[in-house]
Amino acid sequence: MKTLIENLTEKMYKTKLDFRLRIVLLAFMALFGGNMLAQTTIFHEAVPTFSAIPMDWTSNNAGGEAIFQSATNGYLLVDNASDWVVTKAYNLSGYTAIQLSLDITSYDSGTHNPLVIEVSNDNGSTWTHSSHTTNVTTTSYVSQGPYTITANGTQVKFRFKRTATSGRGVRFRNIKLVGTGSTPAPTITVSSASLSGFTYQEEIGPSQEQSFTVSGANLTHNISITAPTNYEISTATGAFSATSPITLTQSGGNVSTTTIYTRLKQGLSAGNYNAENISIVSTELQHKQLHAVVR
């Protein structure tokens, strides 16, 4: 005959949850000191269409047609030797392998002319010729570049102009500057190393709640938290409302510290419910996935 203690022991569910953080990256993605190198679009104007001269850019119209044209999906036009368009200042000090590309075509009649691209590393005080596009002899837009840009100061501007005193104007749009920069690596932080002691007497479940916190930084996607088969999760305590998955929305790349409550479900058969996984996932753009797995 079993003792009272033995009978009570059989009617207890015992389990342990063990948090382990695992970051899965494809082999060609490298992390260095919490940062990773990736090509970044610094600006990309006229996609898909212009509605005006890009914000904070400036221009000079010395005669002829207006600089901004709304026809054929929008473009910028320089058709005078004194016409120019200047970008705002960009901080390029944290970038390498900087490249500029754009689409151009000719305008009006006469000799075809290139678009001249100049760079200033001092907020427009002085200008250096960087490159010029090839002469486009068609009215269809042609992609030009990428042109390597060597300026890497904190106040870099670009100037687009047609230096020829006669001939055709140059239309241009879809202006894009990219560079390789060091950006913080995306992370998910889970507060606890382990949770244990989820027990209840048979037919009196669920177990008492326990909690852990989750936060994220430098994310582009939300965090999704999914409960295993025999456990429940909730963002509310007391008035426990089982939800799976729970979505933590990122804002500006960050997910604020959020408390997650978990418990063993009621109505389970007597047994051992160890080593079940609570999955905490943020699927990042292109090449990386983050997994914080509760084992």
Side-chain angles (χ1 to χ4, degrees):
M1 179 178 295
K2 295 182 180 179
T3 66
L4 176 61
I5 294 177
E6 287 173 331
N7 282 324
L8 289 176
T9 300
E10 284 186 350
K11 296 179 182 292
M12 299 294 289
Y13 302 113
K14 297 183 179 180
T15 190
K16 178 179 180 180
L17 290 179
D18 180 19
F19 284 77
R20 302 192 192 283
L21 181 65
R22 181 180 65 186
I23 299 178
V24 179
L25 294 174
L26 296 189
F28 50 83
M29 294 296 293
L31 297 178
F32 299 98
N35 294 297
M36 61 184 178
L37 296 177
Q39 187 179 75
T40 301
T41 298
I42 301 166
F43 68 75
H44 193 180
E45 297 295 345
V47 180
T49 62
F50 275 119
S51 59
I53 292 174
M55 184 178 296
D56 298 327
W57 290 24
T58 58
S59 64
N60 181 66
N61 183 11
E65 299 293 334
I67 299 290
F68 167 69
Q69 299 286 327
S70 60
T72 61
N73 294 327
Y75 59 88
L76 300 177
L77 169 66
V78 285
D79 62 350
N80 186 289
S82 297
D83 286 355
W84 48 256
V85 175
V86 174
T87 71
K88 70 177 184 179
Y90 294 92
N91 183 353
L92 304 184
S93 60
Y95 296 95
T96 59
I98 303 168
Q99 294 182 321
L100 178 74
S101 60
L102 71 168
D103 297 341
I104 70 165
T105 189
S106 62
Y107 175 79
D108 207 3
S109 60
T111 304
H112 294 279
N113 292 306
L115 182 71
V116 175
I117 303 170
E118 298 176 329
V119 179
S120 172
N121 214 22
D122 55 12
N123 202 34
S125 295
T126 58
W127 295 92
T128 301
H129 178 269
S130 174
S131 53
H132 59 271
T133 63
T134 57
N135 292 344
V136 177
T137 59
T138 175
T139 56
S140 299
Y141 281 94
V142 177
S143 296
Q144 298 281 282
Y147 302 105
T148 298
I149 305 299
T150 57
N152 60 352
T154 60
Q155 292 185 308
V156 179
K157 290 185 175 181
F158 297 86
R159 181 163 66 184
F160 306 95
K161 57 192 296 189
R162 189 206 76 173
T163 56
T165 56
S166 62
R168 295 176 182 245
V170 183
R171 294 179 286 178
F172 59 104
R173 64 186 185 189
N174 201 21
I175 310 157
K176 185 176 183 179
L177 186 71
V178 300
T180 300
S182 176
T183 58
T187 59
I188 294 175
T189 302
V190 182
S191 62
S192 299
S194 66
L195 293 176
S196 61
F198 292 89
T199 62
Y200 65 84
Q201 190 172 344
E202 191 172 16
E203 300 177 358
I204 309 181
S207 72
Q208 292 293 314
E209 302 166 11
Q210 296 192 48
S211 66
F212 58 94
T213 63
V214 178
S215 62
N218 311 308
L219 302 175
T220 55
H221 285 62
N222 299 330
I223 295 175
S224 180
I225 306 173
T226 305
T229 302
N230 297 303
Y231 288 83
E232 298 173 317
I233 55 175
S234 173
T235 56
T237 183
F240 194 98
S241 177
T243 304
S244 184
I246 293 172
T247 299
L248 306 183
T249 303
Q250 65 87 16
S251 177
N254 297 317
V255 172
S256 58
T257 300
T258 304
T259 300
I260 304 298
Y261 301 90
T262 185
R263 67 186 184 184
L264 193 62
K265 288 181 178 179
Q266 66 178 348
L268 298 175
S269 300
N272 189 322
Y273 297 94
N274 293 330
E276 296 197 29
N277 300 332
I278 294 178
S279 177
I280 306 171
V281 180
S282 178
T283 302
E284 295 302 279
L285 290 175
Q286 297 180 2
H287 304 308
K288 47 190 176 294
Q289 288 187 320
L290 303 181
H291 294 266
V293 179
V294 183
R295 294 188 186 278

